[in-house]
Amino acid sequence: QVQLVESGGGLVQAGDSLRLSCAASGRIFSDYSVGWFRQAPGKEREFVATITQSGGDTLYAESVKGRFTISRDSAKNAVYLEMNSLKPEDTAVYYCAARERSYSVSANLYRYWGQGTQVTVSS
């Protein structure tokens, strides 16, 4: 199995940028597709972005398309979420998740989850 640890969250102003990191340990991380999800208070967890095992394909939620970029560095066993032009509605706890099959936008298909990192965007 793989263990995931997110970092990079924080309090920023609208229009600012943040880069979230998801560090993996355990099995070979390149065997896993990875997704970023977020959950705001009182709301359900929602899909943000996902990347294939090779890093060759990505998918984004419409709400973040053009502002967020997911990438991975297999040598560092890490996946990143570059977030630009942040909006107050991006405020949430952000989670990375991994699965041993092809990428998916469905949270319930991911087996491994990190503990989450808080992102707060003030207006």
Side-chain angles (χ1 to χ4, degrees):
Q1 63 181 30
V2 64
Q3 294 79 42
L4 305 174
V5 178
E6 302 96 335
S7 61
L11 172 62
V12 297
Q13 293 186 331
D16 285 351
S17 298
L18 276 176
R19 188 174 84 152
L20 304 184
S21 298
C22 175
S25 60
R27 291 190 55 187
I28 301 172
F29 200 33
S30 57
D31 288 346
Y32 298 82
S33 60
V34 176
W36 283 98
F37 296 82
R38 66 187 182 186
Q39 188 166 19
K43 295 187 177 181
E44 293 188 355
R45 191 169 297 188
E46 66 172 357
F47 166 73
V48 176
T50 185
I51 190 166
T52 55
Q53 290 95 323
S54 68
D57 289 293
T58 57
L59 288 173
Y60 296 92
E62 284 298 322
S63 59
V64 306
K65 197 174 291 185
R67 299 189 297 123
F68 291 12
T69 303
I70 188 171
S71 62
R72 68 189 305 160
D73 185 336
S74 295
K76 295 184 178 180
N77 271 1
V79 170
Y80 307 101
L81 186 67
E82 185 74 35
M83 306 187 295
N84 298 315
S85 302
L86 282 162
K87 304 175 181 180
E89 50 264 44
D90 294 318
T91 295
V93 177
Y94 283 71
Y95 300 89
C96 69
R99 66 189 302 257
E100 291 152 298
R101 304 185 73 176
S102 185
Y103 62 178
S104 173
V105 304
S106 299
N108 60 6
L109 294 181
Y110 285 81
R111 181 176 181 184
Y112 304 103
W113 289 82
Q115 83 290 346
T117 186
Q118 176 71 47
V119 172
T120 303
V121 185
S122 63
S123 58

